[in-house]
Amino acid sequence: MNIVIKYLAVFLISLIVGVVLGFPVLKICHKLKFSQTILHYVDKHAGKSGTPTMGGWIFILASIIGSALFLRDDYFWCMLILLVMLFYGLLGFLDDFIKIRFHQNEGLKPYQKIIGQVGISLVIALYVYFKVGTSLDLFGLKLDLGFWIIPFIIFFYVAVTNSVNLLDGLDGLCGNVSGVYLLFMGIILALMGGVNGNIALLCFSMVGGLIAFILFNGFPAKIFMGDTGSLALGGFIASVAVFSGTELILPIIGLMYVLTALSDILQVLHYKRTHKRIFKMAPLHHHFEGLGVHENRIVTIYIVITMVLGIASLIGYLFALGVV
């Protein structure tokens, strides 16, 4: 099968599977009353209280089913990526379940989440150190971290998963930005070839699953991805970068992840020191909401920025790989 047709096929199948799964997932979440409790200080979202959550299972299952139909040779790393996604998804599921069971917005304690995230990432870091390699790639330039790849990967997983989790604050925001990010990462990895070709297939499969999810999550959202979805998606995105050695490209194409996390960190640190706020509300997308920008416009701006950075990064890799 022609490789381009293969990538297109896995995208379409994941999209179709996601749409088909979306309706029963939505119905089950309604029936079991898996609904979201909105933070009391996010007053603009008060009307969203009671919206079903845990919708992340739509793209989690769609991406697994879609990619499983096409993975052939050298797919062990891809299986690990999907397994890591599932483990992070289960951690998020536990967090969501506690929120729903006790009708609150706080599930697992922050330290409990961190312990779970560090535990999963430590296993992956050790595997990468002994079996995958210690080099990072940025536009064809190699940086060998040696032993330091272990703490770097642990930090990377914690940073990425929490950044993706924080970005999940507006209808369609996290799904759209992540879909665009993974689309460009898929193209870049496909051009790099080798084992990365299979990882690219996972990316296109996830893009299809995310588009299916966005059909249910776009404004006004019928279902949220929940921590089940955002942690699974963060684990997937981090794993794609780690197993392809492209961690350094994530802060470029995924700039909105970085700004989202930084805005939250700066807000907390500044408030603890001065009892004053830098932003009207953190993360950054809530600050824009506070300025009166409609969430649809915020989502559009985030998508466009990610697309522009994706195109620029793709051009950089085209030159680095000698394609142009």
Side-chain angles (χ1 to χ4, degrees), residues 11 14-15 18-19 22-23 26 55-60 62 168 170-182 206-225 233 257 296 299 303:
F11 162 76
S14 296
L15 172 60
V19 172
F23 293 100
L26 181 58
W57 287 114
I58 295 172
F59 58 79
I60 292 172
D168 182 32
L170 302 178
D171 294 355
L173 180 60
C174 187
N176 274 293
V177 170
S178 298
V180 173
Y181 170 83
L182 287 170
M206 180 59 81
V207 172
L210 284 171
I211 291 177
F213 171 72
I214 291 165
L215 295 176
F216 299 92
N217 180 246
F219 182 85
K222 296 180 178 64
I223 192 169
F224 299 139
M225 68 171 65
L233 184 56
Y257 296 133
N296 276 348
V299 172
I303 291 172

mmCIF file of all heavy atoms in Angstrom, residues 11 14-15 18-19 22-23 26 55-60 62 168 170-182 206-225 233 257 296 299 303:
data_model
loop_
_atom_site.group_PDB
_atom_site.id
_atom_site.type_symbol
_atom_site.label_atom_id
_atom_site.label_comp_id
_atom_site.label_asym_id
_atom_site.label_seq_id
_atom_site.Cartn_x
_atom_site.Cartn_y
_atom_site.Cartn_z
ATOM 1 N N PHE A 11 -6.153 7.717 9.091
ATOM 2 C CA PHE A 11 -6.837 8.935 9.536
ATOM 3 C C PHE A 11 -8.348 8.794 9.388
ATOM 4 O O PHE A 11 -9.113 9.078 10.324
ATOM 5 C CB PHE A 11 -6.326 10.139 8.734
ATOM 6 C CG PHE A 11 -7.242 11.340 8.790
ATOM 7 C CD1 PHE A 11 -7.281 12.139 9.922
ATOM 8 C CD2 PHE A 11 -8.061 11.651 7.713
ATOM 9 C CE1 PHE A 11 -8.127 13.240 9.982
ATOM 10 C CE2 PHE A 11 -8.914 12.741 7.762
ATOM 11 C CZ PHE A 11 -8.944 13.540 8.899
ATOM 12 N N SER A 14 -9.916 6.090 11.771
ATOM 13 C CA SER A 14 -9.988 6.586 13.154
ATOM 14 C C SER A 14 -11.084 7.629 13.294
ATOM 15 O O SER A 14 -11.788 7.672 14.313
ATOM 16 C CB SER A 14 -8.641 7.188 13.571
ATOM 17 O OG SER A 14 -7.636 6.196 13.577
ATOM 18 N N LEU A 15 -11.234 8.460 12.282
ATOM 19 C CA LEU A 15 -12.296 9.468 12.292
ATOM 20 C C LEU A 15 -13.669 8.800 12.331
ATOM 21 O O LEU A 15 -14.534 9.160 13.146
ATOM 22 C CB LEU A 15 -12.172 10.368 11.059
ATOM 23 C CG LEU A 15 -13.313 11.361 10.795
ATOM 24 C CD1 LEU A 15 -13.466 12.323 11.967
ATOM 25 C CD2 LEU A 15 -13.048 12.136 9.505
ATOM 26 N N GLY A 18 -14.232 7.030 15.626
ATOM 27 C CA GLY A 18 -14.481 8.018 16.674
ATOM 28 C C GLY A 18 -15.902 8.555 16.634
ATOM 29 O O GLY A 18 -16.550 8.707 17.678
ATOM 30 N N VAL A 19 -16.398 8.834 15.436
ATOM 31 C CA VAL A 19 -17.782 9.334 15.294
ATOM 32 C C VAL A 19 -18.776 8.272 15.748
ATOM 33 O O VAL A 19 -19.730 8.557 16.477
ATOM 34 C CB VAL A 19 -18.057 9.751 13.835
ATOM 35 C CG1 VAL A 19 -19.541 10.082 13.656
ATOM 36 C CG2 VAL A 19 -17.203 10.963 13.451
ATOM 37 N N GLY A 22 -18.641 7.956 19.445
ATOM 38 C CA GLY A 22 -19.030 9.163 20.158
ATOM 39 C C GLY A 22 -20.440 9.126 20.716
ATOM 40 O O GLY A 22 -20.686 9.542 21.857
ATOM 41 N N PHE A 23 -21.375 8.602 19.930
ATOM 42 C CA PHE A 23 -22.775 8.591 20.358
ATOM 43 C C PHE A 23 -23.009 7.689 21.564
ATOM 44 O O PHE A 23 -23.626 8.127 22.549
ATOM 45 C CB PHE A 23 -23.676 8.204 19.184
ATOM 46 C CG PHE A 23 -23.700 9.236 18.095
ATOM 47 C CD1 PHE A 23 -22.941 9.069 16.944
ATOM 48 C CD2 PHE A 23 -24.456 10.387 18.231
ATOM 49 C CE1 PHE A 23 -22.947 10.027 15.937
ATOM 50 C CE2 PHE A 23 -24.472 11.363 17.240
ATOM 51 C CZ PHE A 23 -23.718 11.172 16.083
ATOM 52 N N LEU A 26 -21.315 9.268 24.669
ATOM 53 C CA LEU A 26 -22.112 10.393 25.162
ATOM 54 C C LEU A 26 -23.337 9.888 25.936
ATOM 55 O O LEU A 26 -23.663 10.386 27.019
ATOM 56 C CB LEU A 26 -22.551 11.271 23.994
ATOM 57 C CG LEU A 26 -23.377 12.529 24.316
ATOM 58 C CD1 LEU A 26 -22.604 13.446 25.259
ATOM 59 C CD2 LEU A 26 -23.738 13.261 23.028
ATOM 60 N N GLY A 55 -15.110 12.192 27.960
ATOM 61 C CA GLY A 55 -15.244 11.988 26.524
ATOM 62 C C GLY A 55 -13.939 11.661 25.828
ATOM 63 O O GLY A 55 -13.936 11.325 24.640
ATOM 64 N N GLY A 56 -12.832 11.758 26.557
ATOM 65 C CA GLY A 56 -11.538 11.417 25.975
ATOM 66 C C GLY A 56 -11.470 9.986 25.475
ATOM 67 O O GLY A 56 -10.647 9.668 24.607
ATOM 68 N N TRP A 57 -12.353 9.121 26.011
ATOM 69 C CA TRP A 57 -12.369 7.735 25.532
ATOM 70 C C TRP A 57 -12.679 7.662 24.046
ATOM 71 O O TRP A 57 -12.317 6.684 23.384
ATOM 72 C CB TRP A 57 -13.379 6.906 26.324
ATOM 73 C CG TRP A 57 -12.943 6.602 27.715
ATOM 74 C CD1 TRP A 57 -13.511 7.037 28.884
ATOM 75 C CD2 TRP A 57 -11.812 5.809 28.111
ATOM 76 N NE1 TRP A 57 -12.806 6.574 29.972
ATOM 77 C CE2 TRP A 57 -11.763 5.806 29.530
ATOM 78 C CE3 TRP A 57 -10.836 5.098 27.409
ATOM 79 C CZ2 TRP A 57 -10.780 5.123 30.244
ATOM 80 C CZ3 TRP A 57 -9.853 4.422 28.128
ATOM 81 C CH2 TRP A 57 -9.826 4.436 29.518
ATOM 82 N N ILE A 58 -13.319 8.682 23.498
ATOM 83 C CA ILE A 58 -13.647 8.687 22.069
ATOM 84 C C ILE A 58 -12.370 8.630 21.239
ATOM 85 O O ILE A 58 -12.209 7.761 20.372
ATOM 86 C CB ILE A 58 -14.477 9.936 21.689
ATOM 87 C CG1 ILE A 58 -15.840 9.903 22.392
ATOM 88 C CG2 ILE A 58 -14.654 10.034 20.161
ATOM 89 C CD1 ILE A 58 -16.651 11.181 22.231
ATOM 90 N N PHE A 59 -11.433 9.565 21.493
ATOM 91 C CA PHE A 59 -10.214 9.574 20.671
ATOM 92 C C PHE A 59 -9.183 8.552 21.147
ATOM 93 O O PHE A 59 -8.353 8.101 20.362
ATOM 94 C CB PHE A 59 -9.602 10.981 20.567
ATOM 95 C CG PHE A 59 -9.236 11.636 21.861
ATOM 96 C CD1 PHE A 59 -8.078 11.303 22.537
ATOM 97 C CD2 PHE A 59 -10.041 12.642 22.388
ATOM 98 C CE1 PHE A 59 -7.723 11.936 23.721
ATOM 99 C CE2 PHE A 59 -9.703 13.279 23.574
ATOM 100 C CZ PHE A 59 -8.540 12.920 24.241
ATOM 101 N N ILE A 60 -9.239 8.179 22.419
ATOM 102 C CA ILE A 60 -8.324 7.139 22.897
ATOM 103 C C ILE A 60 -8.599 5.830 22.163
ATOM 104 O O ILE A 60 -7.702 5.210 21.578
ATOM 105 C CB ILE A 60 -8.469 6.928 24.417
ATOM 106 C CG1 ILE A 60 -7.975 8.159 25.189
ATOM 107 C CG2 ILE A 60 -7.679 5.679 24.856
ATOM 108 C CD1 ILE A 60 -8.266 8.112 26.683
ATOM 109 N N ALA A 62 -10.520 5.342 19.453
ATOM 110 C CA ALA A 62 -10.466 5.498 17.993
ATOM 111 C C ALA A 62 -9.036 5.399 17.488
ATOM 112 O O ALA A 62 -8.767 4.749 16.461
ATOM 113 C CB ALA A 62 -11.084 6.829 17.578
ATOM 114 N N ASP A 168 -6.908 22.345 28.386
ATOM 115 C CA ASP A 168 -8.275 21.867 28.252
ATOM 116 C C ASP A 168 -9.212 22.712 29.113
ATOM 117 O O ASP A 168 -9.685 22.275 30.155
ATOM 118 C CB ASP A 168 -8.363 20.393 28.663
ATOM 119 C CG ASP A 168 -9.760 19.828 28.506
ATOM 120 O OD1 ASP A 168 -10.482 20.275 27.589
ATOM 121 O OD2 ASP A 168 -10.134 18.942 29.308
ATOM 122 N N LEU A 170 -11.408 25.409 27.366
ATOM 123 C CA LEU A 170 -12.469 25.970 26.532
ATOM 124 C C LEU A 170 -12.974 24.906 25.574
ATOM 125 O O LEU A 170 -12.245 23.973 25.233
ATOM 126 C CB LEU A 170 -11.947 27.171 25.723
ATOM 127 C CG LEU A 170 -11.349 28.352 26.495
ATOM 128 C CD1 LEU A 170 -10.858 29.412 25.512
ATOM 129 C CD2 LEU A 170 -12.363 28.943 27.459
ATOM 130 N N ASP A 171 -14.199 25.043 25.122
ATOM 131 C CA ASP A 171 -14.777 24.071 24.199
ATOM 132 C C ASP A 171 -13.927 23.967 22.936
ATOM 133 O O ASP A 171 -13.732 24.961 22.219
ATOM 134 C CB ASP A 171 -16.213 24.475 23.812
ATOM 135 C CG ASP A 171 -17.165 24.414 24.993
ATOM 136 O OD1 ASP A 171 -16.738 23.972 26.073
ATOM 137 O OD2 ASP A 171 -18.331 24.819 24.834
ATOM 138 N N GLY A 172 -13.408 22.783 22.665
ATOM 139 C CA GLY A 172 -12.660 22.534 21.440
ATOM 140 C C GLY A 172 -11.224 23.008 21.443
ATOM 141 O O GLY A 172 -10.492 22.762 20.476
ATOM 142 N N LEU A 173 -10.770 23.669 22.509
ATOM 143 C CA LEU A 173 -9.424 24.261 22.494
ATOM 144 C C LEU A 173 -8.321 23.209 22.472
ATOM 145 O O LEU A 173 -7.485 23.184 21.558
ATOM 146 C CB LEU A 173 -9.244 25.183 23.703
ATOM 147 C CG LEU A 173 -7.876 25.872 23.820
ATOM 148 C CD1 LEU A 173 -7.600 26.743 22.609
ATOM 149 C CD2 LEU A 173 -7.796 26.704 25.103
ATOM 150 N N CYS A 174 -8.299 22.347 23.452
ATOM 151 C CA CYS A 174 -7.228 21.350 23.554
ATOM 152 C C CYS A 174 -7.257 20.381 22.375
ATOM 153 O O CYS A 174 -6.215 20.056 21.805
ATOM 154 C CB CYS A 174 -7.350 20.588 24.863
ATOM 155 S SG CYS A 174 -5.982 19.472 25.193
ATOM 156 N N GLY A 175 -8.456 19.941 21.980
ATOM 157 C CA GLY A 175 -8.580 18.999 20.871
ATOM 158 C C GLY A 175 -8.092 19.585 19.562
ATOM 159 O O GLY A 175 -7.381 18.921 18.793
ATOM 160 N N ASN A 176 -8.453 20.837 19.283
ATOM 161 C CA ASN A 176 -8.053 21.474 18.030
ATOM 162 C C ASN A 176 -6.560 21.751 17.979
ATOM 163 O O ASN A 176 -5.895 21.445 16.982
ATOM 164 C CB ASN A 176 -8.830 22.786 17.842
ATOM 165 C CG ASN A 176 -10.178 22.580 17.187
ATOM 166 O OD1 ASN A 176 -10.261 22.208 16.018
ATOM 167 N ND2 ASN A 176 -11.241 22.817 17.937
ATOM 168 N N VAL A 177 -6.025 22.351 19.038
ATOM 169 C CA VAL A 177 -4.596 22.674 19.062
ATOM 170 C C VAL A 177 -3.761 21.396 18.978
ATOM 171 O O VAL A 177 -2.781 21.319 18.227
ATOM 172 C CB VAL A 177 -4.234 23.467 20.340
ATOM 173 C CG1 VAL A 177 -2.716 23.597 20.488
ATOM 174 C CG2 VAL A 177 -4.874 24.844 20.293
ATOM 175 N N SER A 178 -4.163 20.366 19.721
ATOM 176 C CA SER A 178 -3.423 19.100 19.709
ATOM 177 C C SER A 178 -3.527 18.410 18.357
ATOM 178 O O SER A 178 -2.559 17.800 17.888
ATOM 179 C CB SER A 178 -3.950 18.175 20.810
ATOM 180 O OG SER A 178 -3.748 18.745 22.088
ATOM 181 N N GLY A 179 -4.686 18.517 17.716
ATOM 182 C CA GLY A 179 -4.857 17.929 16.389
ATOM 183 C C GLY A 179 -3.937 18.566 15.366
ATOM 184 O O GLY A 179 -3.299 17.869 14.564
ATOM 185 N N VAL A 180 -3.841 19.900 15.404
ATOM 186 C CA VAL A 180 -2.954 20.613 14.473
ATOM 187 C C VAL A 180 -1.497 20.264 14.773
ATOM 188 O O VAL A 180 -0.703 20.010 13.861
ATOM 189 C CB VAL A 180 -3.177 22.136 14.568
ATOM 190 C CG1 VAL A 180 -2.142 22.885 13.727
ATOM 191 C CG2 VAL A 180 -4.583 22.500 14.114
ATOM 192 N N TYR A 181 -1.150 20.249 16.055
ATOM 193 C CA TYR A 181 0.218 19.901 16.442
ATOM 194 C C TYR A 181 0.595 18.516 15.926
ATOM 195 O O TYR A 181 1.662 18.330 15.319
ATOM 196 C CB TYR A 181 0.358 19.952 17.968
ATOM 197 C CG TYR A 181 1.667 19.368 18.457
ATOM 198 C CD1 TYR A 181 2.826 20.132 18.471
ATOM 199 C CD2 TYR A 181 1.757 18.036 18.860
ATOM 200 C CE1 TYR A 181 4.031 19.593 18.887
ATOM 201 C CE2 TYR A 181 2.955 17.483 19.275
ATOM 202 C CZ TYR A 181 4.092 18.263 19.284
ATOM 203 O OH TYR A 181 5.283 17.719 19.672
ATOM 204 N N LEU A 182 -0.266 17.536 16.151
ATOM 205 C CA LEU A 182 0.042 16.161 15.748
ATOM 206 C C LEU A 182 0.011 15.982 14.234
ATOM 207 O O LEU A 182 0.717 15.117 13.702
ATOM 208 C CB LEU A 182 -0.946 15.197 16.417
ATOM 209 C CG LEU A 182 -0.720 14.999 17.919
ATOM 210 C CD1 LEU A 182 -1.880 14.245 18.539
ATOM 211 C CD2 LEU A 182 0.601 14.267 18.178
ATOM 212 N N MET A 206 -4.430 9.540 15.632
ATOM 213 C CA MET A 206 -4.927 10.392 16.710
ATOM 214 C C MET A 206 -5.607 11.640 16.173
ATOM 215 O O MET A 206 -6.615 12.107 16.738
ATOM 216 C CB MET A 206 -3.785 10.768 17.652
ATOM 217 C CG MET A 206 -4.206 11.663 18.813
ATOM 218 S SD MET A 206 -5.487 10.935 19.873
ATOM 219 C CE MET A 206 -4.484 9.867 20.910
ATOM 220 N N VAL A 207 -5.096 12.196 15.082
ATOM 221 C CA VAL A 207 -5.737 13.365 14.470
ATOM 222 C C VAL A 207 -7.170 13.023 14.068
ATOM 223 O O VAL A 207 -8.102 13.794 14.309
ATOM 224 C CB VAL A 207 -4.937 13.874 13.249
ATOM 225 C CG1 VAL A 207 -5.727 14.962 12.509
ATOM 226 C CG2 VAL A 207 -3.579 14.420 13.689
ATOM 227 N N GLY A 208 -7.352 11.852 13.459
ATOM 228 C CA GLY A 208 -8.696 11.416 13.089
ATOM 229 C C GLY A 208 -9.591 11.278 14.306
ATOM 230 O O GLY A 208 -10.749 11.725 14.303
ATOM 231 N N GLY A 209 -9.065 10.670 15.371
ATOM 232 C CA GLY A 209 -9.840 10.513 16.598
ATOM 233 C C GLY A 209 -10.190 11.847 17.231
ATOM 234 O O GLY A 209 -11.301 12.034 17.755
ATOM 235 N N LEU A 210 -9.256 12.796 17.186
ATOM 236 C CA LEU A 210 -9.504 14.118 17.768
ATOM 237 C C LEU A 210 -10.558 14.893 16.988
ATOM 238 O O LEU A 210 -11.400 15.590 17.580
ATOM 239 C CB LEU A 210 -8.201 14.923 17.829
ATOM 240 C CG LEU A 210 -7.229 14.517 18.937
ATOM 241 C CD1 LEU A 210 -5.888 15.221 18.756
ATOM 242 C CD2 LEU A 210 -7.807 14.834 20.320
ATOM 243 N N ILE A 211 -10.541 14.793 15.669
ATOM 244 C CA ILE A 211 -11.562 15.474 14.871
ATOM 245 C C ILE A 211 -12.940 14.915 15.201
ATOM 246 O O ILE A 211 -13.923 15.664 15.344
ATOM 247 C CB ILE A 211 -11.263 15.347 13.364
ATOM 248 C CG1 ILE A 211 -10.013 16.159 13.012
ATOM 249 C CG2 ILE A 211 -12.463 15.827 12.528
ATOM 250 C CD1 ILE A 211 -9.587 16.035 11.575
ATOM 251 N N ALA A 212 -13.025 13.588 15.354
ATOM 252 C CA ALA A 212 -14.291 12.965 15.748
ATOM 253 C C ALA A 212 -14.741 13.508 17.100
ATOM 254 O O ALA A 212 -15.926 13.829 17.294
ATOM 255 C CB ALA A 212 -14.134 11.449 15.803
ATOM 256 N N PHE A 213 -13.806 13.624 18.035
ATOM 257 C CA PHE A 213 -14.138 14.133 19.361
ATOM 258 C C PHE A 213 -14.601 15.582 19.293
ATOM 259 O O PHE A 213 -15.565 15.969 19.984
ATOM 260 C CB PHE A 213 -12.919 14.018 20.278
ATOM 261 C CG PHE A 213 -13.097 14.709 21.600
ATOM 262 C CD1 PHE A 213 -13.945 14.186 22.561
ATOM 263 C CD2 PHE A 213 -12.409 15.884 21.872
ATOM 264 C CE1 PHE A 213 -14.127 14.839 23.776
ATOM 265 C CE2 PHE A 213 -12.581 16.534 23.084
ATOM 266 C CZ PHE A 213 -13.436 16.015 24.040
ATOM 267 N N ILE A 214 -13.942 16.393 18.467
ATOM 268 C CA ILE A 214 -14.287 17.813 18.358
ATOM 269 C C ILE A 214 -15.714 17.998 17.850
ATOM 270 O O ILE A 214 -16.381 18.988 18.191
ATOM 271 C CB ILE A 214 -13.277 18.544 17.444
ATOM 272 C CG1 ILE A 214 -11.913 18.610 18.149
ATOM 273 C CG2 ILE A 214 -13.741 19.957 17.111
ATOM 274 C CD1 ILE A 214 -10.768 18.975 17.229
ATOM 275 N N LEU A 215 -16.222 17.050 17.059
ATOM 276 C CA LEU A 215 -17.605 17.128 16.603
ATOM 277 C C LEU A 215 -18.576 17.132 17.780
ATOM 278 O O LEU A 215 -19.691 17.668 17.682
ATOM 279 C CB LEU A 215 -17.920 15.944 15.670
ATOM 280 C CG LEU A 215 -17.149 15.902 14.351
ATOM 281 C CD1 LEU A 215 -17.492 14.633 13.573
ATOM 282 C CD2 LEU A 215 -17.460 17.141 13.513
ATOM 283 N N PHE A 216 -18.163 16.538 18.898
ATOM 284 C CA PHE A 216 -18.993 16.512 20.098
ATOM 285 C C PHE A 216 -18.551 17.554 21.123
ATOM 286 O O PHE A 216 -19.315 17.901 22.025
ATOM 287 C CB PHE A 216 -18.924 15.121 20.755
ATOM 288 C CG PHE A 216 -19.412 14.009 19.878
ATOM 289 C CD1 PHE A 216 -18.534 13.300 19.064
ATOM 290 C CD2 PHE A 216 -20.755 13.669 19.842
ATOM 291 C CE1 PHE A 216 -18.976 12.272 18.253
ATOM 292 C CE2 PHE A 216 -21.214 12.638 19.037
ATOM 293 C CZ PHE A 216 -20.320 11.940 18.235
ATOM 294 N N ASN A 217 -17.318 18.055 20.967
ATOM 295 C CA ASN A 217 -16.728 18.946 21.966
ATOM 296 C C ASN A 217 -16.663 20.398 21.522
ATOM 297 O O ASN A 217 -16.382 21.287 22.323
ATOM 298 C CB ASN A 217 -15.318 18.445 22.320
ATOM 299 C CG ASN A 217 -14.609 19.303 23.349
ATOM 300 O OD1 ASN A 217 -13.599 19.936 23.054
ATOM 301 N ND2 ASN A 217 -15.129 19.334 24.564
ATOM 302 N N GLY A 218 -16.937 20.670 20.236
ATOM 303 C CA GLY A 218 -16.904 22.046 19.759
ATOM 304 C C GLY A 218 -18.011 22.869 20.400
ATOM 305 O O GLY A 218 -19.014 22.339 20.869
ATOM 306 N N PHE A 219 -17.829 24.168 20.416
ATOM 307 C CA PHE A 219 -18.776 25.070 21.082
ATOM 308 C C PHE A 219 -20.180 24.996 20.470
ATOM 309 O O PHE A 219 -20.319 25.091 19.268
ATOM 310 C CB PHE A 219 -18.257 26.506 20.999
ATOM 311 C CG PHE A 219 -19.146 27.503 21.698
ATOM 312 C CD1 PHE A 219 -18.996 27.726 23.058
ATOM 313 C CD2 PHE A 219 -20.119 28.198 21.003
ATOM 314 C CE1 PHE A 219 -19.816 28.643 23.708
ATOM 315 C CE2 PHE A 219 -20.932 29.114 21.646
ATOM 316 C CZ PHE A 219 -20.778 29.339 23.007
ATOM 317 N N PRO A 220 -21.230 24.819 21.297
ATOM 318 C CA PRO A 220 -21.182 24.498 22.728
ATOM 319 C C PRO A 220 -20.948 23.004 22.924
ATOM 320 O O PRO A 220 -21.578 22.175 22.274
ATOM 321 C CB PRO A 220 -22.569 24.902 23.225
ATOM 322 C CG PRO A 220 -23.455 24.697 22.036
ATOM 323 C CD PRO A 220 -22.612 25.000 20.811
ATOM 324 N N ALA A 221 -20.052 22.652 23.826
ATOM 325 C CA ALA A 221 -19.641 21.264 23.994
ATOM 326 C C ALA A 221 -20.771 20.390 24.539
ATOM 327 O O ALA A 221 -21.473 20.768 25.474
ATOM 328 C CB ALA A 221 -18.443 21.188 24.942
ATOM 329 N N LYS A 222 -20.934 19.228 23.909
ATOM 330 C CA LYS A 222 -21.887 18.233 24.410
ATOM 331 C C LYS A 222 -21.206 17.308 25.411
ATOM 332 O O LYS A 222 -21.877 16.634 26.194
ATOM 333 C CB LYS A 222 -22.459 17.414 23.247
ATOM 334 C CG LYS A 222 -23.282 18.217 22.250
ATOM 335 C CD LYS A 222 -23.801 17.317 21.147
ATOM 336 C CE LYS A 222 -24.665 18.095 20.154
ATOM 337 N NZ LYS A 222 -23.880 19.119 19.446
ATOM 338 N N ILE A 223 -19.872 17.253 25.352
ATOM 339 C CA ILE A 223 -19.106 16.414 26.268
ATOM 340 C C ILE A 223 -17.691 16.977 26.374
ATOM 341 O O ILE A 223 -17.175 17.572 25.428
ATOM 342 C CB ILE A 223 -19.079 14.938 25.770
ATOM 343 C CG1 ILE A 223 -18.540 14.004 26.862
ATOM 344 C CG2 ILE A 223 -18.246 14.808 24.489
ATOM 345 C CD1 ILE A 223 -18.745 12.526 26.541
ATOM 346 N N PHE A 224 -17.086 16.835 27.542
ATOM 347 C CA PHE A 224 -15.702 17.253 27.770
ATOM 348 C C PHE A 224 -14.788 16.028 27.741
ATOM 349 O O PHE A 224 -15.238 14.915 28.018
ATOM 350 C CB PHE A 224 -15.550 17.945 29.127
ATOM 351 C CG PHE A 224 -16.370 19.199 29.272
ATOM 352 C CD1 PHE A 224 -17.040 19.479 30.466
ATOM 353 C CD2 PHE A 224 -16.475 20.112 28.240
ATOM 354 C CE1 PHE A 224 -17.787 20.637 30.608
ATOM 355 C CE2 PHE A 224 -17.220 21.274 28.370
ATOM 356 C CZ PHE A 224 -17.885 21.532 29.564
ATOM 357 N N MET A 225 -13.501 16.253 27.445
ATOM 358 C CA MET A 225 -12.572 15.123 27.441
ATOM 359 C C MET A 225 -12.206 14.695 28.855
ATOM 360 O O MET A 225 -11.849 13.550 29.086
ATOM 361 C CB MET A 225 -11.313 15.444 26.629
ATOM 362 C CG MET A 225 -10.389 16.481 27.201
ATOM 363 S SD MET A 225 -8.807 16.573 26.289
ATOM 364 C CE MET A 225 -9.315 17.133 24.678
ATOM 365 N N LEU A 233 -3.946 12.244 26.337
ATOM 366 C CA LEU A 233 -3.442 12.982 25.172
ATOM 367 C C LEU A 233 -2.060 13.550 25.456
ATOM 368 O O LEU A 233 -1.169 13.496 24.599
ATOM 369 C CB LEU A 233 -4.422 14.104 24.821
ATOM 370 C CG LEU A 233 -4.129 14.932 23.569
ATOM 371 C CD1 LEU A 233 -4.013 14.043 22.333
ATOM 372 C CD2 LEU A 233 -5.225 15.986 23.362
ATOM 373 N N TYR A 257 1.007 25.347 24.326
ATOM 374 C CA TYR A 257 1.135 24.540 25.542
ATOM 375 C C TYR A 257 2.057 25.252 26.530
ATOM 376 O O TYR A 257 1.761 25.349 27.728
ATOM 377 C CB TYR A 257 1.749 23.169 25.229
ATOM 378 C CG TYR A 257 0.950 22.265 24.338
ATOM 379 C CD1 TYR A 257 1.544 21.602 23.262
ATOM 380 C CD2 TYR A 257 -0.406 22.037 24.569
ATOM 381 C CE1 TYR A 257 0.826 20.742 22.453
ATOM 382 C CE2 TYR A 257 -1.135 21.172 23.758
ATOM 383 C CZ TYR A 257 -0.508 20.531 22.696
ATOM 384 O OH TYR A 257 -1.217 19.676 21.892
ATOM 385 N N ASN A 296 -14.711 31.087 21.139
ATOM 386 C CA ASN A 296 -14.503 30.624 19.762
ATOM 387 C C ASN A 296 -13.359 31.371 19.092
ATOM 388 O O ASN A 296 -12.565 30.785 18.343
ATOM 389 C CB ASN A 296 -15.776 30.807 18.928
ATOM 390 C CG ASN A 296 -16.736 29.649 19.093
ATOM 391 O OD1 ASN A 296 -16.374 28.613 19.638
ATOM 392 N ND2 ASN A 296 -17.959 29.805 18.631
ATOM 393 N N VAL A 299 -10.042 30.093 20.557
ATOM 394 C CA VAL A 299 -9.703 28.795 19.963
ATOM 395 C C VAL A 299 -9.135 28.991 18.564
ATOM 396 O O VAL A 299 -8.112 28.378 18.204
ATOM 397 C CB VAL A 299 -10.940 27.868 19.917
ATOM 398 C CG1 VAL A 299 -10.630 26.602 19.130
ATOM 399 C CG2 VAL A 299 -11.392 27.504 21.326
ATOM 400 N N ILE A 303 -5.358 28.015 17.226
ATOM 401 C CA ILE A 303 -5.185 27.104 16.086
ATOM 402 C C ILE A 303 -4.279 27.733 15.035
ATOM 403 O O ILE A 303 -3.351 27.093 14.525
ATOM 404 C CB ILE A 303 -6.553 26.759 15.451
ATOM 405 C CG1 ILE A 303 -7.373 25.877 16.395
ATOM 406 C CG2 ILE A 303 -6.362 26.036 14.113
ATOM 407 C CD1 ILE A 303 -8.805 25.666 15.930
#
